[in-house]
Amino acid sequence: MKHSTTLPVTALPSAEKYQGKGPAYQRRFHVMAKPTGSRCNIDCTYCFYLHKEHLLHQNRREDMSDEVLENFIRQYIDSQDGDQVVFSWQGGEPTLMGLAWFDKVVAFQKKYQKPGQRIENDLQTNGLLINDEWAAWLKAHHFLVGLSIDGPEQLHDHHRVTRSGKPTFARVMEGVAALKRHQVPFNALVTVNNTNARFPLEVYRFLTRELGVTYIQFNPCVEAREFQQTAPQFWQDDSIPVTGTRRAKPGDLDSIVTDWSVDPEEWGRFLITVFEEWVNNDLGRVQVNLFETAVAQTMGMPAQICVTAEFCGKGLAIEKNGDIFSCDHYVYPEYRLGNLADARLAHMAISERQKAFGFGKRDTLPGDCKRCPHLKLCWGECPKNRLVRTKDGEAGLNYLCPGIKAFFDYSAPILAGIAVLLKHPDQEKVL
């Protein structure tokens, strides 16, 4: 991934709309929009984005302008060839932009929408500003909501607090009540950290039985100790520890990761416990991102999420000033591709540099990964988590590897059984 930053941002031939010459292709990529930049109305202990205000020298009082917004929407729609374009609004906290600003979002989308094209929107929010007015608007404009929530009250409030250190759970639940009153579909995004990882069933059952969520994203919290200053893959080589050692776990004074990061073995136990509950009680009713993609990949289908795909690079991020970055987790000066005011979005997204960034996920895997029986289910997970060395000293191993391996060692036979059942639904029970 680091090598890609040395390459020019030169557009590939496929960055232009297909004109019927040569092999057919479709331009498809995704951009995560951050209209408030790092600005947020809460102060989560583990937030990986709040520091961007200082790292990127942002003006806290300036959000995405109407000019940048319209330019982004116009170029994003023009750069896509399929019949569907998905806009994702995140932050920081995107609801701080207000409903009047999102009215402009919808208006610009209608202005540039192509005939026969379907525009979809999703909004990732902490839920604190969601009330009846917001919920009614989200329902009327068919927005899918992703709600950031880390489990029941005590677990949620451990890290997700206001700037004055006050809990946020009660206010989040008020937002949930408004979403339910207006029948707004919402998913749950859980950051699995050093605290809630120890209570997998409490987290999962709260989401599915109390909130009634039927789609869950579990994101492991992993941040390098120097994440506020140092971009991924720019770590000092002599500081990279060997997997399984004390420095490759959270809590040690000299750890490679922050104290709030999830322990690798704890991550594995969390996944195994939730997976067992899911298989026994919720298979076919509740979708869990990591389990759904594991089933699909076991069946020989493509990964459904970027972290388990062979390549990445098709998920970019746009900051509030129009700067484009290789990935949401790579919003660092080293991985800046350019700005919408100076370059075309398609030329940045479909470029030599971004291609090298995406292929780097596979091409930089250590030998241990290439020999692993679970390679095609994992592909080294997210490159930003490749913080440790293999036991024989090779760099580039994922920090979470012990937990990921334990999970697939346990789940692989069951995944295979689910795959058989899906291919042959009339067959006797195979699990």
Side-chain angles (χ1 to χ4, degrees):
M1 320 296 279
K2 183 178 180 180
H3 168 68
S4 70
T5 63
T6 66
L7 300 177
V9 185
T10 304
L12 296 168
S14 54
E16 303 296 342
K17 186 174 179 62
Y18 178 64
Q19 300 295 336
K21 301 176 182 178
Y25 60 83
Q26 277 197 341
R27 299 173 301 167
R28 299 300 298 270
F29 59 91
H30 182 251
V31 178
M32 187 178 295
K34 295 178 172 290
T36 66
S38 61
R39 188 165 70 93
C40 191
N41 52 349
I42 64 175
D43 191 11
C44 300
T45 308
Y46 55 61
C47 184
F48 75 97
Y49 218 79
L50 283 176
H51 74 285
K52 304 299 183 186
E53 176 185 345
H54 305 291
L55 181 72
L56 304 180
H57 307 291
Q58 295 179 342
N59 185 334
R60 184 173 178 79
R61 290 181 291 275
E62 290 183 3
D63 295 319
M64 183 176 283
S65 68
D66 292 355
E67 180 183 8
V68 172
L69 174 65
E70 182 172 10
N71 191 15
F72 165 57
I73 290 175
R74 176 181 60 81
Q75 290 203 46
Y76 190 44
I77 291 176
D78 184 62
S79 299
Q80 308 287 328
D81 294 325
D83 59 1
Q84 177 193 49
V85 181
V86 179
F87 286 84
S88 296
W89 306 97
Q90 300 205 4
E93 174 52 42
T95 59
L96 290 172
M97 297 299 293
L99 283 174
W101 189 85
F102 275 96
D103 280 334
K104 297 174 186 175
V105 167
V106 174
F108 286 140
Q109 288 175 345
K110 290 180 179 177
K111 179 178 178 179
Y112 294 107
Q113 185 176 12
K114 301 173 186 175
Q117 194 175 56
R118 187 170 72 256
I119 303 291
E120 295 186 4
N121 289 278
D122 57 73
L123 176 80
Q124 188 65 41
T125 177
N126 59 36
L128 268 66
L129 295 182
I130 301 298
N131 53 22
D132 284 307
E133 183 182 13
W134 261 102
W137 189 95
L138 292 166
K139 178 67 174 180
H141 293 91
H142 311 290
F143 271 55
L144 174 65
V145 174
L147 183 71
S148 297
I149 187 166
D150 285 354
E153 185 170 7
Q154 186 174 1
L155 297 177
H156 175 89
D157 284 340
H158 189 85
H159 288 292
R160 301 189 66 82
V161 295
T162 65
R163 293 189 176 275
S164 59
K166 294 180 181 179
T168 61
F169 181 82
R171 292 177 62 186
V172 173
M173 293 306 290
E174 290 176 4
V176 168
L179 293 173
K180 288 185 174 181
R181 279 195 297 273
H182 293 270
Q183 299 181 319
V184 179
F186 69 95
N187 302 331
L189 187 152
V190 180
T191 301
V192 182
N193 52 71
N194 66 329
T195 302
N196 62 359
R198 301 195 297 271
F199 303 93
L201 288 182
E202 289 86 345
V203 171
Y204 181 77
R205 289 174 179 171
F206 167 77
L207 297 173
T208 56
R209 299 180 186 180
E210 294 189 43
L211 285 191
V213 172
T214 57
Y215 185 86
I216 305 169
Q217 299 178 64
F218 286 121
N219 287 355
C221 182
V222 179
E223 296 301 335
R225 178 76 68 175
E226 302 297 326
F227 79 98
Q228 293 185 347
Q229 297 86 28
T230 306
Q233 278 74 55
F234 279 81
W235 309 295
Q236 293 183 5
D237 288 345
D238 58 2
S239 71
I240 301 174
V242 172
T243 184
T245 60
R246 62 176 181 80
R247 292 190 58 239
K249 292 175 174 290
D252 188 89
L253 288 175
D254 199 27
S255 175
I256 194 71
V257 296
T258 59
D259 290 344
W260 57 80
S261 296
V262 63
D263 180 275
E265 284 80 9
E266 203 73 70
W267 174 238
R269 287 190 286 271
F270 180 93
L271 290 178
I272 289 170
T273 304
V274 173
F275 181 78
E276 187 176 53
E277 176 82 359
W278 175 75
V279 167
N280 289 332
N281 298 299
D282 294 321
L283 185 63
R285 187 184 72 85
V286 175
Q287 292 180 292
V288 179
N289 65 333
L290 294 172
F291 304 159
E292 296 289 332
T293 192
V295 171
Q297 288 171 264
T298 299
M299 297 175 69
M301 300 166 64
Q304 297 179 353
I305 54 178
C306 61
V307 294
T308 62
E310 184 176 2
F311 308 105
C312 59
K314 288 297 185 76
L316 295 83
I318 180 171
E319 257 293 336
K320 61 183 181 180
N321 67 342
D323 279 348
I324 304 296
F325 294 87
S326 288
C327 171
D328 177 37
H329 287 282
Y330 282 76
V331 177
Y332 291 83
E334 294 88 343
Y335 292 97
R336 179 182 176 273
L337 296 170
N339 188 282
L340 285 184
D342 309 314
R344 287 173 55 188
L345 179 59
H347 287 184
M348 291 183 278
I350 309 173
S351 63
E352 290 285 356
R353 181 185 291 189
Q354 192 63 5
K355 178 182 177 181
F357 175 86
F359 275 70
K361 180 181 183 184
R362 180 199 63 184
D363 296 344
T364 58
L365 284 170
D368 276 13
C369 291
K370 295 174 183 177
R371 294 185 294 269
C372 179
H374 308 307
L375 172 63
K376 293 186 178 181
L377 295 176
C378 170
W379 290 110
E381 211 252 354
C382 183
K384 69 101 176 171
N385 294 334
R386 296 180 183 178
L387 297 164
V388 299
R389 298 181 183 274
T390 64
K391 291 189 182 299
D392 59 7
E394 189 176 2
L397 185 67
N398 196 293
Y399 163 85
L400 294 169
C401 180
I404 294 172
K405 210 167 186 179
F407 169 65
F408 285 126
D409 283 345
Y410 169 82
S411 65
I414 304 173
L415 291 169
I418 295 172
V420 171
L421 188 61
L422 290 174
K423 289 179 179 178
H424 306 286
D426 56 335
Q427 190 168 300
E428 292 292 324
K429 189 174 181 181
V430 293
L431 301 182

